Amino acid sequence: MATFAKLSFNKDELNKELSGFFKGILENGAVDAVLAPMAQGKKGVRLSLITSAASSGAVDPFAPVAAVSGAKIASSLTARPSGRKVAMVLRPCEIRAVVELVKLKQVNLDDVLMIGMDCLGRYENTDFAKFQEQGGTSESFLEKAQAGNTASGDFDVAGACKICEFPAAANVDLRLCAIGSGGGTVHIEAVTEKGQAALEKSGLKIGDNPSGRDEAVKKLVAVRTEAKDKKFAEFRAETNTFQALGEKLSACINCYNCRVACPVCYCKECVFVTDTFRHTGDQFMMWADKGGMLKMPNDTIFYHLTRITHMSLFCVGCGQCTSACPNDIDLMPLFRTSADKTQAKFSYQAGRSVEEEQPMAGFESDELFEVTGQAK
Amino acid sequence: MDLKGSIPDLWKAIYNTGDLHHCFNCSTCISGCPASFGDPPLLVRNLARKVILGLEEELLNDDTPWACVSCSKCEEMCPMDVKPFEMILSIRQWQSANDETRVPPSIVEIYKRGYTQAVGVNTELRDSLGLPELMTITKNPEQLQMFREMLMKTPVVSANDYMFGG
Amino acid sequence: MAEKKPTGTVLVAGAGISGIKAAIELAEVGYKVLLTDASTQIGGILAKLDYQFPTDHCGMCRMLPMVGREYSSQYCMRKSLFHENIEIMPFAEIQAVHGDAGNYKVDLLKRARYVDPLLCNELEECIAVCPVEVADEFNHGLTKRKAIYQAIPHNTPKLLAIDKQACTNCGECVKVCTPGAINLGAQDEMVTREVQSIILASGVKLYNTTEFEDAKSYAVSPDVVSSLAFERMMSSSGSYRDGEIKRPSDGQPAKNIAWIQCMGSRNRRQKRDYCSSICCMFALKEAVLAKEKGGPGVESTIFYMDMRTFGKGFQQYRDDAVEKHGVNLIRCRVQGVMRNPDGSLQIRYFDPETNEFVIKDYDLVVLSTGQIPYETHKKWADLLNVKLDSRGLLATEDYSKIRLAGKPGLFICGSLMGLTDVSEAMSSGIAAAGEATKFLTGIGADTVKEEEIAEPTAHERELSLVSVAICKCGEKTGANGIDYELLSAELQRYRGVGEVNVIDSMCKENGETAALDILSKTKCNRLLIGACQPFMYRQNLKNVARKAGFNSSLVEVFDLFGIARKGMTLPSNKEWTLRAAHEVKADIEKLKFKPALHVSTLPINQTALVVGGGIGGMQSALSLAARGVPVHLVEKDGQLGGYLGNNVEATVDGLAPMAMAKDMQLKVYQNKNITVHLNCEAEGTVGTLGSFESKLVYKDSDEKIYLHHGAAIMATGGHEGATSEYGLGSSNLIMTQGQLKKGLASGDIDVGGAENIVMIQCVGSRQKEGRHYCSRICCMWAIANALKIKEKNPDARVFILYRDVMTYGFYEQYYSKARTAGIIFMNYSLDNKPQMEMVEGKPVVKFMDSILNEEIELPADLLVLSTGVDPEESNSKLAKAFKVALNDDGFFAEADSKWRPIEFQQVGLYLAGTAHSPMPLKSVIMQAEAAAQKAYAYLSGREVHTSSVISKVKDALCIRCQRCVNICPYGARSYDDMEKCINVDPAACQACGMCAVECQNNAAEVTGWSDKQLLSVIDAKLMDELLLSPVE
């Protein structure tokens, strides 16, 4: 049975209340550090690593932005662990990427108190800047978004968020609940024993379940699932030939930003920047010969197809690839639609559970027969 | 079944050859045996087992050896060379020798019908192959009568004529 | 100056799989082998089989050596065998053998094949024009062939021959044969060869459906076929097409198929009182395959007497066949097959399940036809002037299945020992090679000294420049219309090509000199050679290249012929020369991006470790010690001998294990090369082939020593199984076969007054709960004990209650002997097990007599239980220590159940005897010999050449996700937690490429197969249309 602590706030005081909570867990020794979105200067909210309670004043967990995927940051902090306990405040998609990275041994959760937040979507980085200029705050966003309206002027939340079926975070110790909490209130839910202990140490009063939450989450998921199915159908129709796919990707300039932004594209150095793809002049000439001309830079579709084969089993649908593209190629549906099929083949869902083994990552003993002829 | 009363050496009295013990109950002898179609069927394999186990009582009362039609297919096919047909003849001999009043029911049948086995089987198959219908003695009452008279002259039938319906 | 020793040469007569295995083993140690076969090609029976138990795949290639694979050009064993130390002489018969051990002169009759394989261009134009059509014996007459034909469809080279009995001498083939390879007047030829030792591996004949005496009752239609013919029916190179098994008579699909076992075997009337051993598994496999390949609705039914699933994994296979695949097993031998007017086949049988007769129609009947050993044995006995034993078989020494009695230097293996399955054929081939090696070592014969050609260095960073050398091959390829000038010009203008040379007959001396002359002056650093039969000449051509200064990893040989054949469909010579050029470009690309590879060598520690001091362990130790290898023999108990050596005085076939063990012990202790460690266990091992370090712990003192060794043999044996069934231990009238055996020998058990003695077989065995395997020796033990009882008390009645009597092979004679001694065998089934109840202190056994279908109640004076063989409990500890696998039953899991029965997946580790699975003493000894040979083969070198083609880690790219570690089937990859990096064991890596597939980071790569290289090859292939436009 999950326990909740209610956090009521006065107007413009949500972040103050939340920072109180983080202060609490830092001061009482539940954790040694907190990684949380925090306002940086006047503009922009970035994940920040806070080790001193005194420095936690500007946290802004619900800010509708994710400049880089927190999963990448989680990897930086824990792949080679510090030995200190850290609370991480991440969005559901970031946590699902973390789950994949744990299996790939790129994140170590031993000393992590995972805090997930309800996510009603995020704006692209440039849009978020506009949002802030327009005077938007996390509170105002939560209020509008809960009412079903995420648009703000001529922009809206990222396409990935609109079709995301995971607004509530799983695989967490604590959850920051905004959906269905009611105005002026958020709840902090302890999901695990570890979370429970931290919640107790934070000094917040425990009790009072948000009664409308489950229903509200369910409703939101239904809306997004419908949007997702529609998007998938549209995209599949638009890319049903190799040529159509080529056109979708025609603006690609091989900057590889999408792979840098992708939280589960975990290679140190992408194969596309290694010697394998350093072609010789006569190779280029030969390819040009074949069709009379060669579009440069070449290998753009090949690059994306390779990424699909590499990543679609792990894709969590965060949409960072689309956000990162300087040429406005909407890559997210390409990866989500292919991931939808590849993951289904193995009854696998990226980010669902740490225990669930990644497909094709192990050697089953009955495969020995096939591959090596080894007797049982 | 109790083996208490069984006689381990009974086989010596019935079919005293080493051949019998070679039997490993493979069922070759029965699988195509024409007498195994009968009721009760002749099960050569079972007779061999009874002899080996020394089941004297059961063997004395077993009429199936008399259903053998001497086709000797079992003899020909037995992989262990048990010579089952010879065993059947030996069992008959032993039965007769050990029970003077014994009249095998098959003799009664021969007397009544002219034959022991269902000779008329496969009529459809014969027909489909264009073979003529088998003429059996049953279909010829005069000859059957003559046959019975001949049989009546043998000691086993005449001495037990009460069994042959007069 | 020391006298030059002769090079050891061994004649292996018979090129079935056991002969091939023996030949490969000898050749790998460095002896010369002359491998002959009476038929036109090699491969024996296995050449006909596409599918083998238990994987239901072909796997002959798995018998090839695992270390240094790229030295040979051998990939597929079904094509043929190529090894520089093996001379293959097919279609040759031994006519006479003169001389003595160590100095044989063998007269061989090489039969004329009328087609010279060296001249043949393999274009098969001769076959096309041949007007004669006869039944193809390879496919058992299911297909037709011409008088000029290729005997095995998958052979390379094709090795055409003319069947002179069918040939009409019309001469059409001669007319179309441009290279002049056909000589209709060719004569058989007599050659004499000198060899030091002979291994007979001829196998024995198998019946075909018309050859045995009962055939008239069964083979009543073309739809009654032998089991071997059925293999051909299921083969795509046989008559199998369109996913259906077809009746030979009318091509209709065969849906209802019956197998009849023991055709010609287990038949006293035909004087064949033996079991052919393999037919039960053969039939089960075929029945399963028929259901899998024959499409829906196929019913498989096997009529059997005893289902002899005695080998490792066999019981499991049988259970799966019945439960998973729905194969019907009916225990009834049928009297014959009837042909119905509509052509279908009728079988009448007695169903023991229902106790009723059933008449059923089948589309196809397969006869499991057995072996005919006596003719073959007689032939060899006459030729070699050796005596036959009382059974008409070549007599081997008492404890050996391999060594011919009284004839040093003469050995047998394979089916000559009694029909053997693949696994045993492999063990026997290795063991025979081992015996021959010991013999050759004894007479001082030398191994072949390899010609040392220094490997030229390759400069990795040089720009690739490819030299293409095309062998003109006499008139062979020219005659096929290749325009060499055009080909050269086409290739010359291709990027990366430095020069193109057309050289004639590079396989011959002239060509070789010419090639050396041209190539030593080249500026190119890579060499691509186009030749015929690259399989055959690859090694030679690579040597030439090496002499000319090319690093051998930068030399590739491609099949010019294969390309020529493909081009035949194109209309003009010009067009298909261009096509050929295009094909070659892909090879150029592959070579261009190939890195120079280097073979590294690891030093080999010359010491061997043998774990287990039973008879098998002692045999391995003695065998290795005899060849000068220092051996450490580790035994966990306080004495040597193992279970058999300390408990069993005599076996049913007249062996005396206890006396033998005593004798061996003496030899072991006297041998300076053997160090014995009693009360000692191996607890941990690090290292790899050639360099292991094992921790040995003495149980009594806790003292530890660390032993360095180069190889290890697991020979841990087993012991009689335990059971809680049938009140064992509750009464002194209830005992195991082992206890009875001991009691009878010592006289502690008196059977004098006993009336009824009951033995129950398979107690706790061959069932899913318990030992899910046949222990292979219990039937023989029961029979031995029963015979002993009969000897002591002829009046005692002994009942043996069995499920299947597993007296396979020539053990069948003891089953017969037992029956004639009056021992009564009664069959029971698993769902109707015998029951036991104590009545007045006496065990009363209740069981169903399946024959009379009546329950029998029998007070037993003794109740004896066959409790099977358990593996040693220490196996699990050892498996952990040596990182090798155990199977579900607790026995060690060999690398491959058929093809590599005595090796582990991890190189340098071997297993023998009951550590592998329960087996009779002679098989234990044979395996121990084989394991010793395998270990010796590696230890005899001073260093081990790792494969140059192995997977590597590009550390800078590696992200340490360890997915490659999890996926490596050979355990060659590990994560070093201290250094935080992935390590590859070069001796264990088999370059299968799983890691490279798994690694998305390109950090795992199989050397010589880089992405860059493969992408270039793909590119070259895709450039098709463009590059087909010729130079103007």
Side-chain angles (χ1 to χ4, degrees), chain A residues 267 290 358 360 374 376, chain C residues 887 905 963 998 1001 1022:
Chain A
C267 292
K290 179 157 191 196
Q358 285 179 336
M360 302 199 289
Q374 165 127 25
K376 265 188 187 174
Chain C
N887 69 5
Q905 200 77 268
R963 280 157 65 99
E998 188 67 8
N1001 221 348
L1022 291 177

Side-chain angles (χ1 to χ4, degrees), chain C residues 877-930:
Chain C
K877 237 160 93 187
L878 275 173
K880 227 183 215 160
F882 286 90
K883 299 181 197 72
V884 295
L886 290 186
N887 69 5
D888 296 342
D889 303 317
F891 294 99
F892 284 104
E894 63 278 34
D896 181 286
S897 65
K898 281 205 130 33
W899 300 100
R900 295 169 65 202
I902 52 171
E903 294 162 66
F904 284 107
Q905 200 77 268
Q906 288 75 0
V907 273
L909 302 176
Y910 312 96
L911 71 166
T914 305
H916 170 282
S917 63
M919 59 181 73
L921 181 54
K922 279 188 186 177
S923 299
V924 171
I925 291 170
M926 187 179 80
Q927 278 210 348
E929 263 313 324

Side-chain angles (χ1 to χ4, degrees), chain B residues 1 6 31 36 49 78-79, chain C residues 268 335 348 797 849 855:
Chain B
M1 190 169 60
S6 68
S31 80
S36 70
R49 167 60 50 102
C78 171
Chain C
R268 176 175 170 242
Q335 214 172 66
R348 179 173 188 260
R797 282 215 279 196
D849 177 18
E855 191 160 80

Side-chain angles (χ1 to χ4, degrees), chain C residues 434 437-438 441 622-629 673 929 932-933 936:
Chain C
T437 306
K438 267 199 290 186
T441 318
L622 284 168
S623 181
L624 281 166
R627 283 175 260 191
V629 175
N673 283 335
E929 263 313 324
Q933 168 66 13
Y936 172 72

Side-chain angles (χ1 to χ4, degrees), chain C residues 201-228:
Chain C
S202 64
V204 293
K205 221 174 116 184
L206 294 182
Y207 295 111
N208 64 43
T209 43
T210 55
E211 233 175 325
F212 67 107
E213 289 143 48
D214 291 342
K216 59 184 183 300
S217 290
Y218 299 96
V220 296
S221 142
D223 298 335
V224 180
V225 300
S226 71
S227 40
L228 216 47

Side-chain angles (χ1 to χ4, degrees), chain A residues 64-65 91 119-124 127-128 131 141 145 148-152 154-164 224 323 332:
Chain A
V65 67
R91 315 183 89 81
C119 178
L120 289 152
R122 63 168 176 87
Y123 294 120
E124 300 295 1
D127 291 338
F128 181 68
F131 173 74
F141 176 73
N149 177 20
T150 51
S152 182
D154 58 346
F155 58 88
D156 202 342
V157 292
C161 305
K162 284 186 171 163
I163 64 167
C164 169
R224 288 186 177 178
S323 305
M332 177 277 296

Side-chain angles (χ1 to χ4, degrees), chain C residues 709-986:
Chain C
H709 56 101
I713 297 172
M714 305 293 137
T716 50
H719 53 80
E720 189 172 42
T723 187
S724 54
E725 285 184 88
Y726 300 111
L728 180 65
S730 68
S731 153
N732 59 1
L733 300 180
I734 304 171
M735 64 194 68
T736 65
Q737 291 286 1
Q739 289 164 342
L740 174 64
K741 200 178 252 292
K742 265 189 145 170
L744 286 173
S746 65
D748 290 345
I749 295 173
D750 180 21
V751 290
E755 259 180 69
N756 294 317
I757 294 171
V758 179
M759 297 180 175
I760 304 177
Q761 298 302 101
C762 296
V763 174
S765 292
R766 295 176 64 214
Q767 57 192 39
K768 290 208 176 91
E769 310 74 35
R771 286 171 286 275
H772 196 190
Y773 53 89
C774 165
S775 293
R776 211 165 169 172
I777 56 161
C778 328
C779 283
M780 270 78 95
W781 277 39
I783 286 169
N785 280 341
L787 284 169
K788 195 94 194 161
I789 291 168
K790 277 289 195 187
E791 198 181 296
K792 295 194 172 194
N793 176 7
D795 292 335
R797 282 215 279 196
V798 184
F799 296 86
I800 299 183
L801 311 184
Y802 70 96
R803 283 169 56 205
D804 293 279
V805 180
M806 298 284 188
T807 49
Y808 56 93
F810 295 115
Y811 286 112
E812 182 76 4
Q813 61 182 304
Y814 303 110
Y815 180 28
S816 290
K817 190 173 169 192
R819 292 197 313 277
T820 45
I823 294 156
I824 298 170
F825 288 81
M826 295 185 138
N827 177 249
Y828 76 89
S829 64
L830 203 51
D831 46 19
N832 202 356
K833 283 202 220 174
Q835 305 292 318
M836 192 280 294
E837 192 178 345
M838 293 300 282
V839 180
E840 291 161 11
K842 228 178 175 185
V844 176
V845 185
K846 247 198 259 176
F847 59 96
M848 198 65 184
D849 177 18
S850 62
I851 299 298
L852 298 179
N853 199 25
E854 276 189 77
E855 191 160 80
I856 292 181
E857 214 179 290
L858 199 66
D861 298 295
L862 282 181
L863 174 60
V864 192
L865 308 175
S866 287
T867 53
V869 177
D870 273 348
E872 282 302 323
E873 288 79 18
S874 58
N875 284 1
S876 59
K877 237 160 93 187
L878 275 173
K880 227 183 215 160
F882 286 90
K883 299 181 197 72
V884 295
L886 290 186
N887 69 5
D888 296 342
D889 303 317
F891 294 99
F892 284 104
E894 63 278 34
D896 181 286
S897 65
K898 281 205 130 33
W899 300 100
R900 295 169 65 202
I902 52 171
E903 294 162 66
F904 284 107
Q905 200 77 268
Q906 288 75 0
V907 273
L909 302 176
Y910 312 96
L911 71 166
T914 305
H916 170 282
S917 63
M919 59 181 73
L921 181 54
K922 279 188 186 177
S923 299
V924 171
I925 291 170
M926 187 179 80
Q927 278 210 348
E929 263 313 324
Q933 168 66 13
K934 284 291 311 179
Y936 172 72
Y938 287 125
L939 296 181
S940 62
R942 272 186 308 280
E943 50 198 19
V944 53
H945 296 267
T946 61
S947 178
S948 67
V949 182
I950 54 168
S951 87
K952 289 196 168 145
V953 183
K954 292 187 205 150
D955 204 54
L957 295 179
C958 174
I959 196 90
R960 277 83 169 153
C961 68
Q962 301 168 42
R963 280 157 65 99
C964 57
V965 175
N966 298 336
I967 207 138
C968 177
Y970 298 94
R973 285 185 164 238
S974 55
Y975 180 65
D976 185 335
D977 211 20
M978 295 298 290
E979 299 292 323
K980 305 276 182 228
C981 66
I982 305 285
N983 289 332
V984 181
D985 177 348

